[in-house]
Amino acid sequence: MLEKINSLLAEVEEFSAKSKEHVEEYRIKWLSKKGQITALFDDFKTVAPEIKREVGQKLNELKIKAQDKINAIKESFESQNDLHVSTQFDLTTPSDPSITLGSRHPLSIVKNQIIDVFARIGFTVSDGREIEDDWHNFTALNTPENHPARDMQDTFYVNINPEMVLRTQTSSVQVHVMESQQPPIRTISPGRVYRNEAISARAHCQFHQIEGLYIDEHVSFADLKQTLNFFAKELFGTETKIRMRPSYFPFTEPSAEVDISCTLCKGDGCNVCKHTGWVEILGCGMVDPQVLDNCGIDSKKYTGFAFGMGIERITMLKYRVKDLRLFFENDVRFLNQFSGE
Ligand code: DAH
């Protein structure tokens, strides 16, 4: 019996397999119910007691070695298989030139550039909802019931009672943010808005805005001015100047409109700036204390500023697009001209 064990041990040690099937064949030959090693265990009962210990040890050694060898070879076949799968695809191959790749929409490119500028000075991004209730779109923002902005001509009503609208401005996100967070708040909210307007080269029933909101103790108009100055220079170039004109919005007091020096003529006067040297890019102001109180923020302790801009308008200025409708027609001849993140 010892001889048989030794010759099997030598066979196991020498064994190498050409294929998975080959390993399986030997597993059956050695270790299955009818295998040679299993048979030796049956014969072990008949071994003389004086050599039982020695034979037993050898037999166990044989079994363990055979199992280890089979497992090791099987594993090496499996990992080769994995390797084979992963090398079937060469991920560095250039793509098929006959497939034209898409590019990012110009509005997305500019939106991301704007987010990037504000992210650098600590603004987070907050998402809102496009179907909004009366409170968030109007009432909390100091827009009384008879305000012209609520006119049926401007607002798309989704439901009359309770009043639900397609939001007309991303200022509604301000309200959600203030209701759910306490200062310091520093956030911008990009999104789509809707207004019931006739579609033309300069107006559309859907467009995009970015809202900004900064609330903390001692936030001043100077902070607003400096933030927007930084923004304009980062987005349009360091030579860009801003100017503020007094304006009115129901939710800010004081309010202002911000112009930048014309990016085309650099202030000399051209068609784009209607020969004034300036183009309007956004509305802004100090958040009205009543709005802070409406949203659960202590207006005696905190002040803040807000601003809102149209992404289409900024994109038109940056890329000299003359017709707003181009953004929504998805003509690839137009879209192909833009590249960027
Ligand atoms: N929501 C205004 C609009 O749609 C834009 C705006 C103006 C937003 C002033 C503001 C702001 O946050 O302070 O015309």
Side-chain angles (χ1 to χ4, degrees), residues 201-311:
R202 313 199 60 193
H204 210 287
C205 58
Q206 57 166 339
F207 53 101
H208 299 80
Q209 290 187 329
I210 292 194
E211 187 76 14
L213 179 70
Y214 181 21
I215 300 174
D216 205 345
E217 289 178 48
H218 315 299
V219 175
S220 72
F221 201 91
D223 296 320
L224 169 61
K225 195 171 169 186
Q226 205 45 49
T227 303
L228 296 177
N229 193 32
F230 170 79
F231 163 71
K233 287 185 190 310
E234 288 291 300
L235 199 72
F236 293 102
T238 44
E239 72 287 357
T240 311
K241 296 190 188 69
I242 66 164
R243 91 176 170 184
M244 292 177 126
R245 285 178 287 106
S247 186
Y248 169 78
F249 297 101
F251 35 86
T252 43
E253 183 57 37
S255 305
E257 272 168 326
V258 173
D259 301 338
I260 55 165
S261 50
C262 181
T263 51
L264 197 66
C265 64
K266 312 275 177 248
D268 295 342
C270 67
N271 278 343
V272 172
C273 59
K274 299 197 194 88
H275 301 281
T276 62
W278 297 94
V279 272
E280 187 208 316
I281 57 159
L282 56 83
C284 64
M286 299 306 290
V287 181
D288 191 311
Q290 182 63 49
V291 173
L292 294 177
D293 290 333
N294 287 347
C295 302
I297 287 183
D298 183 355
S299 63
K300 294 199 176 59
K301 187 164 177 207
Y302 297 109
T303 53
F305 64 70
F307 55 87
M309 65 187 98
I311 304 179

Side-chain angles (χ1 to χ4, degrees), residues 108-158:
S108 297
I109 295 174
V110 171
K111 177 188 79 177
N112 290 340
Q113 288 171 353
I114 298 173
I115 291 176
D116 226 54
V117 172
F118 284 106
R120 267 180 263 148
I121 48 173
F123 281 74
T124 58
V125 173
S126 310
D127 269 335
R129 50 188 77 157
E130 291 185 18
I131 296 180
E132 203 41 282
D133 52 42
D134 170 275
W135 169 257
H136 291 92
N137 197 73
F138 293 126
T139 308
L141 292 164
N142 269 355
T143 311
E145 228 172 86
N146 53 359
H147 194 281
R150 287 186 172 218
D151 197 302
M152 288 294 253
Q153 279 176 15
D154 281 325
T155 308
F156 286 115
Y157 285 82
V158 177

